[in-house]
Amino acid sequence: GNSVTQMEGPVTLSEEAFLTINCTYTATGYPSLFWYVQYPGEGLQLLLKATKADDKGSNKGFEATYRKETTSFHLEKGSVQVSDSAVYFCALRAWGSTASKLTFGTGTRLQVTL
Amino acid sequence: SAVISQKPSRDICQRGTSLTIQCQVDSQVTMMFWYRQQPGQSLTLIATANQGSEATYESGFVIDKFPISRPNLTFSTLTVSNMSPEDSSIYLCSVVMDISQETQYFGPGTRLLVL
């Protein structure tokens, strides 16, 4: 079946540090990949997505590249801010026998300090 | 994109009672889902809400416990029945506007605490 594996958190960084949150996946077919962010006390917001191999999704300074050869979709940001403190979820959607299910990773909590 | 609202935003309920959560979308959408997020955990899909027919439930979730309605393309309700403290979670409505777009949007969630 489909699955998403994320690095465990929490991740604690100083402001302006470089961020990487690892995400790997297992899926049949060719999934679309997503990063969602959940700020404290809020629902999920779509951060970025990529729908085919070698696509790069980007938004708000965050980037992730769809790597089919390594089945990965790592989230990166060159310089984090305190306001980036949130929980980040990697997810995939593989259309097919399981139809439209979105499969989530366990989430990685990021804490950015001054 | 879709603007999704949920009511109530939070509630504290007594054991054995039921709560109905409403989800309203500002435009017609193809698919609507209900998720549960237990404290500190990831999201678990409860069911797909089907317009005019019974919802499609995931393994571990049953209609008697989580009845769902979807009378039209912009509205759905989830009822959490005969609640116990284990039902304390965030319940999220989610939509896909169009199959071809793939992107799935989430409502702000309903925070439920069962005493």
Side-chain angles (χ1 to χ4, degrees):
Chain A
N2 302 324
S3 67
V4 176
T5 302
Q6 285 183 240
M7 64 186 288
E8 291 195 15
V11 174
T12 303
L13 295 173
S14 299
E15 199 169 45
E16 299 184 3
F18 185 87
L19 168 71
T20 300
I21 300 178
N22 290 338
C23 172
T24 57
Y25 67 88
T26 302
T28 54
Y30 301 96
S32 295
L33 301 173
F34 305 85
W35 277 101
Y36 283 85
V37 58
Q38 186 175 35
Y39 297 103
E42 300 185 13
L44 269 72
Q45 300 176 25
L46 178 66
L47 182 58
L48 53 84
K49 69 176 182 180
T51 58
K52 61 182 187 297
D54 299 326
D55 268 2
K56 176 185 285 189
S58 61
N59 185 26
K60 299 181 181 180
F62 291 89
E63 293 182 341
T65 301
Y66 189 143
R67 301 285 188 199
K68 185 167 178 287
E69 63 276 13
T70 55
T71 62
S72 65
F73 192 54
H74 304 321
L75 182 68
E76 297 182 336
K77 187 174 185 182
S79 176
V80 293
Q81 306 300 311
V82 172
S83 58
D84 294 326
S85 298
V87 180
Y88 293 82
F89 292 93
C90 185
L92 70 83
R93 179 192 306 288
W95 301 96
S97 60
T98 52
S100 55
K101 273 198 213 180
L102 195 63
T103 301
F104 284 91
T106 53
T108 302
R109 181 176 298 278
L110 170 65
Q111 181 70 45
V112 181
T113 60
L114 290 171
Chain B
S1 65
V3 177
I4 306 169
S5 60
Q6 287 185 230
K7 290 181 182 180
S9 59
R10 60 179 67 238
D11 208 341
I12 301 173
C13 299
Q14 296 298 316
R15 180 196 300 261
T17 62
S18 297
L19 176 72
T20 296
I21 302 168
Q22 298 180 1
C23 175
Q24 179 73 55
V25 192
D26 68 340
S27 55
Q28 294 185 349
V29 297
T30 302
M31 307 189 74
M32 297 184 78
F33 307 92
W34 287 98
Y35 285 81
R36 181 174 74 181
Q37 185 180 21
Q38 293 179 301
Q41 308 216 359
S42 187
L43 283 77
T44 301
L45 179 63
I46 297 172
T48 302
N50 300 310
Q51 186 201 357
S53 64
E54 191 173 290
T56 304
Y57 289 86
E58 296 300 304
S59 176
F61 296 96
V62 296
I63 188 171
D64 289 346
K65 176 67 175 176
F66 297 101
I68 289 170
S69 76
R70 188 183 172 190
N72 57 49
L73 293 176
T74 64
F75 185 79
S76 178
T77 65
L78 167 74
T79 299
V80 185
S81 301
N82 188 24
M83 287 184 284
S84 67
E86 292 70 35
D87 295 319
S88 298
S89 292
I90 301 173
Y91 292 86
L92 296 118
C93 174
S94 181
V95 305
V96 171
M97 297 192 69
D98 185 285
I99 291 289
S100 64
Q101 294 182 2
E102 298 192 349
T103 300
Q104 192 161 327
Y105 300 94
F106 286 80
T110 295
R111 284 158 180 75
L112 172 62
L113 176 63
V114 183
L115 302 177

